[in-house]
Amino acid sequence: MNRYIYLDNAATSFPKPAAVQKKVAQTLRFFCANPGRSSHRLSLRASEEVYLCREKIAAFFGGYDERVVFTMNATASVNTALKSVLRRGNHVLISDIEHNAVLRPVAALAKKGLITYDIFKTAEDPVIQIREITAKIKPETALIVCCHHSNICNFTLPIASIGNLCRKKGIYFMVDASQSAGIIPIDIEKDNIDILCAPGHKGLYGIPGCGFCLFGKKFENASLLSTFTEGGNGIASESLYMPDFLPERLEAGTLPLPAITALSAGIDFVRQTGPERIHRKEIILSSMLRKKLSELENIAVHSEKDGSILLFSVKNCLSEDFASRLDSKGICVRAGLHCAPLAHRKLGTPKDGAVRVSFGYFNTPADVEKFALACKKITESEIRRK
Amino acid sequence: MNSSAIFILKSVTTAIKAKSFLTSAGIDAKIIKHTSKDSGCRYGISVRQSASDRAAEILSENQITPISQFFA
């Protein structure tokens, strides 16, 4: 029996499905060789497992398997994509709820004088959203980057409409699906996405250590992409340069095989369970918790909609202090700014941020009951003390 | 002695796809690695020489263009 309640699934989903745990164990025990390096059976088995995962990602998100590029995590995916696509003098638009995974690399490129960027206001209404973005587009705008779903509230951007605008304007469209992959359906063709970046260890239920970029049709000619990291990948070793085709052009060094096979099993789990079912469960739990927290006078819930995330702050209590008190009761949540200062600014949370509860498929109504009771006890003790 | 036809392909990813297509068509295909100082290291597919024409057709049908082809 668990002695904790895990409500930090937006950071990484936990626990992992039994099939994922089994696949990792099998990988480590039977074929954890270096994929794409040798011709012996274990290396080839490893290569086949890597390819299988590319196929599953491509099938899940409507893309092409050879345009799946593996990275360490979603942040590495965003960095790889940005630095492969952007050229000196380009202008980039990002949303006002971006995670630091997007904000920091864009800001760093701007600081070096390589690009300029602006931030557009987000709106869930596609018409308003398109108007906001259109007003910010410049002749030199080459790329629009946005998250699909915020990591601190249940705000989903109308990516299909933004993608359609990008297609019409000849601008690349890149989506950070860190909080939506595996939960909200994405089809890179239908949603007009040129580059999809995602982690393997959150809504796709893999383990930390692997993320990916899925490039769209525009990158059939991979020489359009600058290389971000260079090194060995077992192909054309005589050349000084990385291959001019995907995925190998952007994959240097040994791939994280256990994380990749875990992602394969995680995608199977999500497909079998159904992303809609997973999301519906999270919405129900979020709704239950919202009702319970609204009965506590010292708690202010910042999320307007129910979904996988519920953000709140507590009167007269720092968010990290409250999270620490929850931890002492065996409850795992994340407090602070969640690497998303822009989004916190937009939501108007206190200076020290807020407490984030993020649900996963394995959470239960009993978790919500226990969490709400713990909050009640802590806030009542706070009231008594103040 | 049975000799083999070797199709050198651009990457291990392509070799795995090629093997899958060939196997589905009933051709016994094996992934091999081929290294030379000129072309560096490449992956390829080995099939029986008698199946080489059919294998070439299947690769072509699936838009897989070998970098080179030889018999071993």
Side-chain angles (χ1 to χ4, degrees):
Chain A
M1 187 177 155
N2 292 338
R3 283 173 292 171
Y4 54 80
I5 295 170
Y6 186 81
L7 293 165
D8 195 16
N9 290 277
T12 192
S13 55
F14 185 79
K16 302 302 180 187
V20 171
Q21 296 177 41
K22 189 177 170 188
K23 189 71 186 184
V24 173
Q26 280 178 344
T27 305
L28 294 175
R29 188 166 178 202
F30 297 116
F31 57 87
C32 197
N34 201 330
R37 296 296 187 276
S38 313
S39 57
H40 58 74
R41 66 191 66 194
L42 295 185
S43 177
L44 291 178
R45 169 74 194 278
S47 300
E48 284 171 350
E49 292 281 348
V50 169
Y51 178 67
L52 186 63
C53 190
R54 293 190 207 278
E55 279 191 315
K56 287 180 184 177
I57 291 168
F60 196 78
F61 295 106
Y64 183 58
D65 49 37
E66 288 195 26
R67 295 192 208 117
V68 173
V69 171
F70 286 116
T71 63
M72 284 186 296
N73 48 47
T75 299
S77 299
V78 169
N79 272 271
T80 300
L82 285 173
K83 292 164 188 177
S84 302
V85 167
L86 291 174
R87 300 288 179 268
R88 184 181 288 275
N90 283 166
H91 174 251
V92 177
L93 283 174
I94 66 171
S95 88
D96 63 358
I97 59 169
E98 289 312 302
H99 188 278
N100 278 343
V102 169
L103 177 62
R104 283 183 172 171
V106 167
L109 289 168
K111 193 178 178 188
K112 287 176 187 166
L114 299 173
I115 64 159
T116 55
Y117 75 98
D118 282 301
I119 296 173
F120 66 84
K121 265 174 74 176
T122 44
E124 280 191 297
D125 182 325
V127 176
I128 298 170
Q129 184 63 90
I130 295 308
R131 197 185 305 143
E132 289 288 343
I133 295 174
T134 305
K136 299 259 184 187
I137 292 176
K138 298 177 177 181
E140 61 271 29
T141 304
L143 176 70
I144 292 178
V145 190
C146 67
C147 60
H148 186 195
H149 189 83
S150 166
N151 71 317
I152 65 161
C153 60
N154 297 310
F155 186 95
T156 307
L157 272 84
I159 53 169
S161 301
I162 302 172
N164 191 38
L165 173 70
C166 289
R167 189 153 293 186
K168 283 181 187 163
K169 300 272 185 188
I171 296 169
Y172 288 133
F173 182 40
M174 176 172 148
V175 173
D176 171 9
S178 291
Q179 298 299 331
S180 60
I183 301 164
I184 304 173
I186 300 171
D187 184 308
I188 67 161
E189 287 299 317
K190 288 182 188 160
D191 293 329
N192 300 306
I193 297 169
D194 294 311
I195 313 162
L196 180 75
C197 299
H201 65 101
K202 294 187 180 184
L204 294 172
Y205 287 88
I207 63 169
C210 157
F212 61 86
C213 304
L214 174 57
F215 287 89
K217 274 183 194 161
K218 285 182 190 166
F219 297 98
E220 197 169 355
N221 176 5
S223 58
L224 291 171
L225 296 161
S226 302
T227 55
F228 172 50
T229 52
E230 294 86 16
N233 57 12
I235 298 296
S237 305
E238 80 293 355
S239 172
L240 272 178
Y241 306 107
M242 296 294 283
D244 60 2
F245 49 83
L246 289 177
E248 283 84 358
R249 181 165 180 77
L250 298 178
E251 288 178 350
T254 298
L255 292 174
L257 184 69
I260 289 171
T261 60
L263 176 54
S264 268
I267 292 172
D268 289 344
F269 168 79
V270 171
R271 288 191 88 114
Q272 285 155 13
T273 309
E276 297 81 8
R277 187 170 155 208
I278 293 171
H279 198 203
R280 198 164 54 242
K281 185 174 184 182
E282 292 171 350
I283 290 171
I284 290 168
L285 295 175
S286 166
S287 171
M288 279 178 65
L289 183 58
R290 177 190 296 279
K291 277 183 197 150
K292 292 195 174 290
L293 292 186
S294 67
E295 291 163 7
L296 304 179
E297 60 178 310
N298 285 347
I299 285 184
V301 176
H302 298 290
S303 312
E304 287 176 3
K305 280 171 61 182
D306 289 316
S308 48
I309 290 165
L310 192 141
L311 191 76
F312 67 92
S313 53
V314 185
K315 195 176 172 188
N316 296 326
C317 187
L318 295 172
S319 66
E320 294 284 8
D321 184 27
F322 197 80
S324 175
R325 286 161 186 263
L326 286 169
D327 179 60
S328 70
K329 294 180 185 299
I331 296 171
C332 308
V333 294
R334 183 170 169 194
L337 293 176
H338 311 94
C339 300
L342 289 178
H344 272 277
R345 201 176 303 154
K346 185 179 174 84
L347 281 184
T349 56
K351 272 186 178 175
D352 71 304
V355 181
R356 181 184 71 186
V357 174
S358 50
F359 296 102
Y361 182 71
F362 296 106
N363 286 122
T364 63
D367 292 343
V368 172
E369 295 285 347
K370 287 175 191 165
F371 181 82
L373 186 62
C375 288
K376 186 168 188 283
K377 283 182 182 168
I378 296 168
T379 52
E380 283 176 353
S381 71
E382 280 290 316
I383 293 165
R384 276 200 295 272
R385 195 165 61 81
K386 297 284 173 186
Chain B
M1 190 178 124
N2 286 331
S3 56
S4 302
I6 309 289
F7 297 89
I8 301 299
L9 302 167
K10 66 177 184 180
S11 69
V12 70
T13 309
T14 314
I16 291 166
K17 287 177 77 135
K19 183 186 170 189
S20 169
F21 291 131
L22 294 170
T23 306
S24 299
I27 295 175
D28 187 21
K30 189 182 169 207
I31 297 174
I32 55 115
K33 196 172 184 201
H34 175 77
T35 300
S36 77
K37 284 185 180 170
D38 295 331
S39 62
C41 36
R42 297 281 181 182
Y43 281 86
I45 284 286
S46 167
V47 299
R48 272 187 312 201
Q49 190 172 344
S50 58
S52 67
D53 289 349
R54 180 71 187 124
E57 278 174 25
I58 289 165
L59 295 180
S60 173
E61 282 164 13
N62 289 286
Q63 284 87 48
I64 294 175
T65 309
I67 292 169
S68 62
Q69 180 182 345
F70 57 89
F71 296 106

